[in-house]
Amino acid sequence: QVHLVESGGGSVQAGGSLRLSCSVSGITNSRYCLGWFRQAPGKERERVASIHSFGGTRDADSTRGRFTISQDNAKNTLYLQMNSLKPEDTAMYYCAARTDVSGAWCFSPLRGGGDFGYWGQGTQVTVSS
């Protein structure tokens, strides 16, 4: 059973930085896609970034240049480094996983939250102006 646990959220002023972590366990397939999503109150869930087990990443237009997704395989941990944070980045952030998929699947702009089968419980990020 795939298990995801996020941590690292908190409150920060605009322009600040946070690093989110997601502990990943239970993935037995060598091909998988991990993603960070966020959802603010009253808004649709948005995919922030994705990374595939064979390499490569994809960022959302809204966060490109400010957020970086990475993975430490030795620690089974997914990260999201968030710099130059803005109040509009305030949201609950979730990590998600889908196994046995290709990089093309992982990075397709058509992939939404409904395509990922495993989710963490979320971590809150609040950015004040």
Side-chain angles (χ1 to χ4, degrees):
Q1 180 71 9
V2 177
H3 192 51
L4 307 171
V5 180
E6 302 96 334
S7 61
S11 297
V12 65
Q13 290 193 327
S17 298
L18 282 174
R19 187 176 78 160
L20 305 183
S21 299
C22 175
S23 175
V24 181
S25 61
I27 294 181
T28 58
N29 196 301
S30 63
R31 292 197 323 164
Y32 58 86
C33 177
L34 300 176
W36 284 101
F37 289 78
R38 66 184 181 185
Q39 187 165 23
K43 294 188 177 181
E44 291 187 358
R45 184 169 49 190
E46 175 189 19
R47 183 170 57 158
V48 174
S50 299
I51 188 167
H52 191 264
S53 58
F54 289 172
T57 63
R58 179 183 176 92
D59 304 319
D61 291 341
S62 60
T63 60
R64 187 168 294 122
R66 299 188 299 121
F67 292 9
T68 303
I69 188 172
S70 63
Q71 184 179 9
D72 186 330
N73 291 323
K75 296 181 178 179
N76 294 321
T77 303
L78 177 72
Y79 299 102
L80 184 67
Q81 178 67 44
M82 305 186 295
N83 300 326
S84 302
L85 282 161
K86 305 175 181 180
E88 52 263 43
D89 294 319
T90 295
M92 185 71 79
Y93 283 71
Y94 301 88
C95 63
R98 173 73 184 263
T99 60
D100 198 21
V101 292
S102 67
W105 184 97
C106 186
F107 304 138
S108 169
L110 300 177
R111 298 295 163 234
D115 296 311
F116 287 74
Y118 303 99
W119 292 84
Q121 83 288 348
T123 185
Q124 177 68 38
V125 172
T126 302
V127 184
S128 59
S129 57

